[in-house]
Amino acid sequence: MPRFSGLILFLAASCLLFESNPKPVDTTANTTSGSLQPASPMLEPRSGHTATLLPDGKVLIVGGMRRNQDFYRSAELYDPTTGKFQPAGDMAIARVGHAAVLLHSGKVLVVGGWIGHGETDSAELYDPATGKFSSLAKMTAKRGNATATLLTNGDVLITGGADTFGPGGVASAEIFHAATAVFESLAPMHSARIEQTTTVLRDGRVLIAGGRADTVTASAEIFDPTTKKFTVTGSLLTARYKHSAGLLPDGRVLLAGGSDDRDWSGTMNSAEIYDPAKQTFTATSPLHDSRFKLPREAVQLSSGQLLFAGGSKTVEVYDPASRKFLIAAGQIDAARHFLTATKLKDGDVLLAGGYPDNDRATNATWIYHP
């Protein structure tokens, strides 16, 4: 297979094509939940970036891209007390499609992504105390659009992502040991994946669901940190990737949206719930709007409801009591893809960046008030 540039691989894996037709929503016909309001813009337009809540309540925005061939080394901080963004230093490497995780130490681990000429195995650590990034030892594999999940013991599980060849993901996985800053290779997952979701269950195990290998998959598996092994669990009702997933108050996992192999033409509004006790997925009420290229993790609100944003002008909230999606009052200016959604300490949610139906990102942000 011919080798393409890192940018083309990012766009191909993300299917950043230039058409988007999410199904229209009649917001007057549905019960609303919360409201959405515009907020101060970021310093730079960004998509494919990360947003991480820091212990002091600020949000660290890292990397991403402005447009084709224009990746960022820069980072910025959102301060909820002022509602403004400020510079937060530069990474060693400009990257997009990376993953970021807040460690128990309060530092932020940044891994992988695309760096302009392919995927990278590089990793960096941001220290809020100094406001600086420092380079770490490399991961055991190059990964673009991998997942990074904080385990209950403080280590980080890193799964899948794109490698050098093909549009799909890889099955390899590794653990970052926070105490030693060492990456440990694991036995592979049972299925190769990119744009999957990873959700920590109540018992500390991790549900890994959907994603794409050569084709979009309905397979799911469980990672057990005590054995460091993956085991197959029940399959999704619908093969999907670029979806969102979140933990419900009762310990089950809700998955919604995403796309099939047709990408822009295959966006979906279906939703399903995984029951760890039964190891099965069952259908629940659908989203009001088909949407994909979503934040991997749905935001768990203080009420126990789950917020789903991106891929549409609307923001939807799943209510476990009624088992239905509610629509927030107000709208985003466009159907933004690969935006970030971050719950703030006061319970509000910061939505930032993304791109609409072309490759140019926005610096616009919005605040969701429950």
Side-chain angles (χ1 to χ4, degrees), residues 99-117:
V101 177
L102 178 69
L103 304 177
H104 286 175
S105 65
K107 297 178 181 179
V108 179
L109 174 69
V110 180
V111 295
W114 279 271
I115 58 173
H117 55 80

Side-chain angles (χ1 to χ4, degrees), residues 217-257:
T217 181
S219 68
E221 46 194 295
I222 297 288
F223 175 75
D224 188 338
T226 60
T227 63
K228 296 183 181 179
K229 292 182 178 179
F230 297 90
T231 57
V232 174
T233 189
S235 294
L236 284 75
L237 302 179
T238 304
R240 66 181 78 221
Y241 78 143
K242 301 176 185 172
H243 55 287
S244 277
L247 190 68
L248 294 168
D250 63 6
R252 297 181 300 162
V253 179
L254 172 66
L255 300 90

Side-chain angles (χ1 to χ4, degrees), residues 279-292:
Q279 299 187 49
T280 57
F281 289 85
T282 56
T284 189
S285 300
L287 292 155
H288 294 282
D289 200 355
S290 296
R291 58 179 77 221
F292 81 139

Side-chain angles (χ1 to χ4, degrees), residues 6 9-11 13-14 42 45-52 60-66 70-76 89-102 108-116 118-126 133 139 141-149 156-162 183 194-196 198 294-297 338-340:
L9 281 175
F10 172 70
L11 300 184
S14 305
M42 293 186 289
R46 299 176 191 265
S47 66
H49 55 290
T50 56
T52 308
L60 177 68
I61 309 288
V62 175
M65 72 178 194
R66 177 192 299 268
D70 193 354
F71 300 171
Y72 289 113
R73 291 176 56 213
S74 67
E76 46 191 288
D90 291 336
M91 294 183 289
I93 299 174
R95 65 182 81 214
V96 62
H98 51 285
V101 177
L102 178 69
V108 179
L109 174 69
V110 180
V111 295
W114 279 271
I115 58 173
E119 304 82 5
T120 182
D121 53 6
S122 65
E124 306 188 38
L125 201 62
Y126 176 80
F133 290 88
M139 293 189 292
K142 294 181 178 181
R143 304 177 188 276
N145 273 11
T147 62
T149 308
V156 178
L157 172 67
I158 302 167
T159 63
F183 291 93
I194 185 174
E195 296 287 3
Q196 71 276 19
T198 52
L294 310 178
R296 284 196 176 98
E297 186 175 351
F338 291 129
L339 56 66
T340 54

